[in-house]
């Protein structure tokens, strides 16, 4: 009789999303590292969509008092991380056209990868580590909202300062 060797329970649930994410990032990374136009008027769209997603998560399963506290901490931590991530994005003004241009950094890509890995591992292994998965989801949803919002706010403020200095 042949013995089957299997990954410990849950590891496939962790490994598969991480591999898929790695492949997607490998495909997208060159595009993210290219200089491309920055449309300042559209920076609000991703945070607004994600705010709706987080609101839906909280409406469908309202957090406990502890959950709201963890979500608030997640939002603050996410805002701090997002601000730093926003600072890693290069923004410049094309002298010929006056168009604002942006370029991601390898640190921004690494940052996304680390957050994704932490989120995947905590969601899949939270129960095994005797963590309340609902609290993890509340905190990680708010953390992500903070990251997306603060990153784009930092980029917006820097881009508008750059445009104003060019007009002087």
């Amino acid at each position: 009789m042949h013995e089957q060797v299997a990954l410990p329970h849950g590891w496939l649930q962790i490994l598969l999303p991480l591999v898929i994410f790695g492949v997607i990032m490998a495909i997208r990374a060159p595009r993210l590292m290219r200089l491309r136009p920055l449309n300042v008027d559209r920076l609000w769209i991703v945070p607004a969509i994600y705010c709706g997603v987080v609101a839906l998560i909280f409406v469908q399963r309202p957090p406990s008092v502890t959950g709201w506290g963890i979500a608030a901490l997640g939002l603050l931590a996410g805002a701090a991380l997002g601000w730093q991530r926003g600072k890693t994005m290069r923004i410049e003004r094309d002298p010929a056209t006056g168009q604002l241009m942006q370029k991601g950094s390898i640190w921004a890509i690494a940052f996304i990868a680390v957050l994704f890995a932490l989120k995947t591992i905590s969601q899949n292994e939270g129960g095994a580590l005797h963590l309340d998965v609902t609290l993890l989801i509340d905190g990680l949803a708010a953390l992500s909202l903070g990251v997306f919002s603060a990153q784009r706010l930092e980029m917006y403020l820097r881009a508008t300062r750059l445009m104003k200095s060019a007009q002087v």
Side-chain angles (χ1 to χ4, degrees):
M1 192 166 164
H2 295 280
E3 256 185 63
Q4 287 185 331
V5 177
L7 290 171
H9 177 68
W11 279 101
L12 188 57
Q13 292 175 327
I14 294 172
L15 196 57
L16 187 60
L18 293 176
V19 168
I20 291 169
F21 180 77
V23 169
I24 291 170
M25 287 308 292
I27 293 168
R28 289 205 62 214
R31 182 180 174 268
L32 293 173
M33 299 299 294
R34 272 196 329 243
L35 204 57
R36 60 189 190 278
L38 171 64
N39 191 332
V40 177
D41 297 334
R42 294 186 185 163
L43 286 173
W44 64 273
I45 295 173
V46 169
I49 291 170
Y50 203 74
C51 186
V53 169
V54 172
L56 185 63
I57 289 170
F58 288 167
V59 166
Q60 286 180 339
R61 199 168 23 182
S64 63
V65 173
T66 304
W68 283 115
I70 289 177
L73 290 173
L75 185 65
L76 291 173
L81 292 169
W83 193 267
Q84 289 304 314
R85 182 169 183 254
K87 289 170 79 171
T88 68
M89 305 296 282
R90 193 170 104 204
I91 299 174
E92 59 187 54
R93 188 174 166 276
D94 184 337
T97 64
Q99 170 73 43
L100 285 178
M101 305 297 281
Q102 71 174 345
K103 181 179 180 182
S105 74
I106 193 68
W107 296 112
I109 293 168
F111 180 80
I112 292 170
V114 168
L115 278 182
F116 184 81
L118 289 174
K119 184 175 181 179
T120 301
I121 291 168
S122 65
Q123 284 179 328
N124 287 314
E125 293 300 314
L129 298 172
H130 305 294
L131 300 172
D132 185 339
V133 177
T134 304
L135 291 177
L136 282 173
I137 291 170
D138 294 342
L140 290 171
L143 179 107
S144 299
L145 178 60
V147 168
F148 293 141
S149 300
Q151 173 196 349
R152 282 161 177 80
L153 176 61
E154 194 282 335
M155 290 174 66
Y156 173 82
L157 293 172
R158 210 162 19 110
T160 54
R161 279 194 307 267
L162 186 60
M163 289 303 291
K164 284 181 184 177
S165 70
Q167 292 174 352
V168 175

